[in-house]
Amino acid sequence: MTKKTIIQFDHVAKRFDGEIILKDISFAIERGKFYTLLGPSGCGKTTILRLIAGFLEPSEGTITFDGRMVNKIPPNKRQVNTVFQDYALFPHLNVFENVAFGLRINKLTNKEIEPRVKQALHFVNLDGYQNREIAELSGGQKQRVAIARAIVNQPQVLLLDEPLSALDLKLRTAMQVELRQLQRRLGITFIFVTHDQEEALAMSDEIFVLNQGKIEQSGSPRSIYDEPINRFVADFIGESNIIPGTMLKDRVVSFAGKTFDCVDQGFDEREAVEIVIRPEDLEIKPHGEGLLQVRIESQLFRGVHYEMIGKDEDGNSWMIHSTKSARIGEEIGLFFEPEAIHVMRHGETEEAFDRRLESYEGAGHD
């Protein structure tokens, strides 16, 4: 464990009534970063959060906090606070008393409590709200009170269990910005749980993508979006065109009945692979130009772009995002750069995937 690491999971598993919820999970969380646990319902992300908080004990493996094993340490003995999905505010207490609740439990004096509560409310932009009743607050204000109540105890780690899911889209977007700014001001570690990939991409320093009790891939939002390790990650993070292909040799791949230059290497010759090209990386060209020819089958206007579905000569469907429109039934060309082609190996582990990417850098490629 390095000095930067505050939480470490080593081969952690969790079972409920014989059912495996988490399978051999290992990762390290560094101080002062914004992490997101991302995945569909039932993938294990909330279980990881509850293990960190101390609400659950691992069935196998060890959890270390600040260099100390905490497998059996209760929640009140950990420097961790949680913001729950429903905020869990006390309706009979006003804003001040909700925020002060944990401090009163710890038997601080009124003289100690008042400045800390005011400072916490200031951090979440609720100056002057001390005497408001909880019923008088909007959804966004309630969320900020819950965060203030969590940070007033000065935790080293703040856990957030889908706290934006009940908000409307506009408020949710505003709260994403506020949460990210708050994390930077406080300088503490945030661990955020969501199933919303756009939320994860917008807010995180690092994302752990979970599926069926295991971490499929971890890394920065950009690295996961640009270099998904497998079909699940590529499909879950953003929109993707995923089609079968064959790696002919380093930096040359075949798919959709044609051969293309790419930037991937380290595969076997004629290895069966999967190809990912993001819809926004496809450029519309007149029919007869470009690298592929497709016939447009549908088109939707999405506000900032048109979303089209086209079918190529091999029968592959392509999703295209473009500020240009096309007519249903029209034949068009598609152009894409070699860098837009991402090649995925079937069954590749994250460790092997990382080694392969490092080999590109060692060979002087991006």
Side-chain angles (χ1 to χ4, degrees):
M1 178 179 284
T2 68
K3 289 183 179 179
K4 287 184 177 180
T5 301
I6 189 167
I7 296 170
Q8 188 157 319
F9 274 43
D10 287 308
H11 304 289
V12 170
K14 182 62 185 176
R15 291 184 293 273
F16 290 111
D17 298 325
E19 182 183 358
I20 300 173
I21 306 301
L22 291 180
K23 309 169 187 175
D24 194 28
I25 295 284
S26 296
F27 61 80
I29 299 287
E30 294 185 1
R31 300 176 190 275
K33 286 188 174 182
F34 196 119
Y35 290 86
T36 296
L37 306 177
L38 175 66
S41 297
C43 69
K45 55 189 185 292
T46 297
T47 301
I48 290 177
L49 210 69
R50 292 174 66 81
L51 286 165
I52 293 171
F55 300 130
L56 297 173
E57 293 181 15
S59 304
E60 296 173 15
T62 59
I63 301 172
T64 308
F65 189 99
D66 209 10
R68 174 190 179 201
M69 192 176 80
V70 294
N71 286 30
K72 296 184 179 296
I73 303 297
N76 62 321
K77 300 293 185 183
R78 303 190 187 195
Q79 289 183 292
V80 172
N81 272 83
T82 306
V83 178
F84 297 98
Q85 186 173 350
D86 61 0
Y87 311 144
L89 300 174
F90 301 112
H92 62 288
L93 300 178
N94 65 16
V95 168
F96 184 96
E97 290 302 327
N98 263 278
V99 177
F101 185 80
L103 302 178
R104 296 202 188 283
I105 291 292
N106 291 329
K107 299 183 179 177
L108 272 68
T109 66
N110 287 334
K111 188 176 180 180
E112 294 170 306
I113 289 172
E114 186 170 351
R116 284 177 60 172
V117 171
K118 285 184 176 178
Q119 183 185 41
L121 290 173
H122 175 71
F123 264 121
V124 297
N125 297 319
L126 286 178
D127 293 303
Y129 280 72
Q130 293 93 318
N131 297 321
R132 293 281 185 96
E133 298 300 322
I134 297 302
E136 298 173 341
L137 303 179
S138 68
Q141 290 166 343
K142 288 177 183 177
Q143 192 220 39
R144 282 183 269 170
V145 172
I147 293 169
R149 186 177 62 183
I151 66 175
V152 78
N153 293 307
Q154 300 173 340
Q156 291 195 53
V157 178
L158 185 63
L159 309 176
L160 302 108
D161 189 5
E162 301 207 55
L164 307 183
S165 60
L167 305 179
D168 64 62
L169 178 60
K170 192 170 183 179
L171 180 56
R172 199 168 170 183
T173 303
M175 289 306 300
Q176 289 172 14
V177 175
E178 286 197 27
L179 273 179
R180 191 65 175 112
Q181 291 175 342
L182 177 64
Q183 187 270 331
R184 286 173 173 150
R185 288 203 305 272
L186 291 172
I188 64 176
T189 304
F190 276 33
I191 303 176
F192 185 88
V193 163
T194 185
H195 61 272
D196 187 320
Q197 48 95 8
E198 289 185 6
E199 208 162 74
L201 291 172
M203 299 171 69
S204 313
D205 291 313
E206 187 162 349
I207 298 171
F208 294 161
V209 183
L210 286 103
N211 182 35
Q212 297 182 339
K214 63 187 181 74
I215 296 174
E216 294 280 357
Q217 188 173 0
S218 62
S220 70
R222 187 60 186 264
S223 68
I224 289 177
Y225 186 83
D226 288 345
E227 300 283 351
I229 191 172
N230 57 30
R231 175 179 282 267
F232 174 83
V233 176
D235 207 34
F236 196 78
I237 302 284
E239 301 285 359
S240 298
N241 294 295
I242 306 175
I243 60 173
T246 302
M247 202 69 189
L248 301 179
K249 60 181 181 178
D250 281 352
R251 303 165 75 82
V252 180
V253 66
S254 169
F255 59 90
K258 299 181 185 298
T259 299
F260 303 92
D261 293 332
C262 65
V263 297
D264 292 275
Q265 60 189 44
F267 294 86
D268 298 330
E269 288 192 10
R270 306 207 65 80
E271 180 178 349
V273 294
E274 288 187 298
I275 306 301
V276 177
I277 302 180
R278 298 291 187 180
E280 65 271 19
D281 290 331
L282 295 171
E283 184 180 345
I284 291 178
K285 295 288 186 181
H287 177 57
E289 298 183 20
L291 302 175
L292 287 174
Q293 304 298 307
V294 301
R295 180 185 293 272
I296 298 300
E297 297 191 331
S298 68
Q299 177 173 273
L300 295 172
F301 180 57
R302 295 294 191 185
V304 295
H305 63 258
Y306 292 93
E307 180 178 288
M308 290 163 268
I309 301 296
K311 190 161 282 189
D312 67 26
E313 297 159 348
D314 258 25
N316 300 298
S317 289
W318 293 88
M319 179 182 287
I320 307 147
H321 289 173
S322 176
T323 54
K324 298 177 182 177
S325 65
R327 299 184 309 276
I328 306 299
E330 182 180 358
E331 293 188 356
I332 63 170
L334 293 179
F335 177 79
F336 41 89
E337 298 286 351
E339 291 81 6
I341 302 170
H342 172 59
V343 183
M344 300 187 301
R345 168 175 269 157
H346 293 284
E348 188 168 38
T349 66
E350 188 169 16
E351 292 77 14
F353 175 76
D354 289 341
R355 285 196 300 271
R356 186 160 57 80
L357 289 190
E358 287 169 5
S359 74
Y360 298 179
E361 296 169 6
H365 303 306
D366 294 332

